[in-house]
Amino acid sequence: MMNKTTIGGNKRKAANFLAIAGLVIIFAAYMFPFLMVVINSLKQKRDIIKSPFSWLYTIKGLSFDNFVKAFTQMDFLNAFKNSLIVTVSATVLVTLLAAMLAYYIVRHNNGISKLTFALMVASMIIPFQAIMIPLVSIYGGTLNVLNHRITLIFMHTGFSMAMSVFMFHGFIKGNVPIALEEAAYIDGCTHSQTFFKIVLPLLKPIISTMVILNSMAFWNDFLLPSLVLSDKKLLTLPLSTYSFYGTYSADYGTIMAGLLLCVVPILVLYVVLQKQIIGGVVAGAVK
């Protein structure tokens, strides 16, 4: 006769097995489109059209010509430079400004701070599509400042401030003790010195999290740059891949290769900051 411990152990093993199997299925379903992009980027156009879901070993004529063609046609180096300038500039600005504003709101719990924070949180529910046309009309028709990288950087910074302030606010409130700041003031530090020398280093986990989230959003964004930029010399990587689409046809192999060239840099950044991202996400829960 089986004891209760054995029965409970078997049930737990079965539950764990089913959970792992479910996670594997979800992961496979999630990664399947990306895997197809990688495989089809190495095929010729006729093979993609004939058998888009076939594996590499069934295809003849496997080559890296699509990557060479994509690199040249999309002017990869220039587009990469534009994306890098916009992404780095906007990320640095929004990270620094959001951290400073969130710190002020947390440490100055007055009516203005509460109202500012409430308005910023409320603005997060407004979809970009609702203000897209007025935005272009004002900046393009009235101010005539479209088709400049600095305009795109300014817009990215503004649209990302609400979420960034919200994240920094929660982290500072729960993980930065005010006693450290009081000790710094006793030692003669000013408010600026206290923030940059005491508080900012403590924000490393949430800074890493926000850097990767905002960088991915800025790097992969297509809609806003397409509204702001039209000069071919200023196009970012997502915009440059649109050149592969023709009026009546599209070079799918080159498109797949171009998409991979766009994704690789941000994947490298994610791998580098992976530990800090996890730390920033679970910091509050662990405490």
Side-chain angles (χ1 to χ4, degrees), residues 15 34-35 50 53 64 88 92 107 113 121 123 145 151 156 162-163 176 184 211 227-228 245 249 272 285:
F34 180 76
L35 182 61
K50 182 179 179 181
F53 296 104
F64 291 90
V88 172
V92 171
R107 294 297 184 246
S113 298
V121 173
S123 68
V145 293
T151 304
H156 275 318
M163 175 60 74
V176 180
V211 163
L227 297 173
V228 176
Y245 293 88
S249 64
V272 171

Side-chain angles (χ1 to χ4, degrees), residues 110-235:
N110 52 43
I112 297 178
S113 298
K114 292 180 179 179
L115 179 61
T116 301
F117 185 68
L119 291 175
M120 297 192 75
V121 173
S123 68
M124 292 166 55
I125 67 174
I126 302 176
F128 173 74
Q129 291 77 6
I131 61 175
M132 180 174 64
I133 295 177
L135 184 74
V136 175
S137 299
I138 293 173
Y139 281 91
T142 305
L143 301 178
N144 195 26
V145 293
L146 294 183
N147 215 28
H148 292 84
R149 277 194 295 258
I150 191 171
T151 304
L152 181 59
I153 293 170
F154 174 76
M155 290 184 179
H156 275 318
T157 302
F159 287 125
S160 303
M161 279 295 293
M163 175 60 74
S164 299
V165 169
F166 178 76
M167 296 292 289
F168 275 109
H169 180 277
F171 188 89
I172 293 172
K173 192 173 182 178
N175 296 275
V176 180
I178 194 172
L180 292 176
E181 301 167 38
E182 293 173 347
Y185 294 142
I186 293 174
D187 290 338
C189 289
T190 63
H191 291 288
S192 299
Q193 291 174 334
T194 301
F195 175 78
F196 287 104
K197 293 183 179 181
I198 305 298
V199 177
L200 196 60
L202 297 176
L203 302 181
K204 184 179 178 181
I206 190 64
I207 287 176
S208 300
T209 302
M210 297 313 301
V211 163
I212 189 63
L213 292 178
N214 287 323
S215 296
M216 290 178 63
F218 301 153
W219 186 274
N220 297 323
D221 190 21
F222 178 86
L223 181 56
L224 182 57
S226 67
L227 297 173
V228 176
L229 304 176
S230 59
D231 189 350
K232 291 184 178 181
K233 295 181 180 179
L234 300 176
L235 297 183

Side-chain angles (χ1 to χ4, degrees), residues 79-80 82-83 86 152 219 221 225 229 234-241:
F80 178 83
N82 293 330
S83 290
V86 171
L152 181 59
W219 186 274
D221 190 21
L229 304 176
L234 300 176
L235 297 183
T236 58
L237 281 174
L239 291 181
S240 63
T241 59

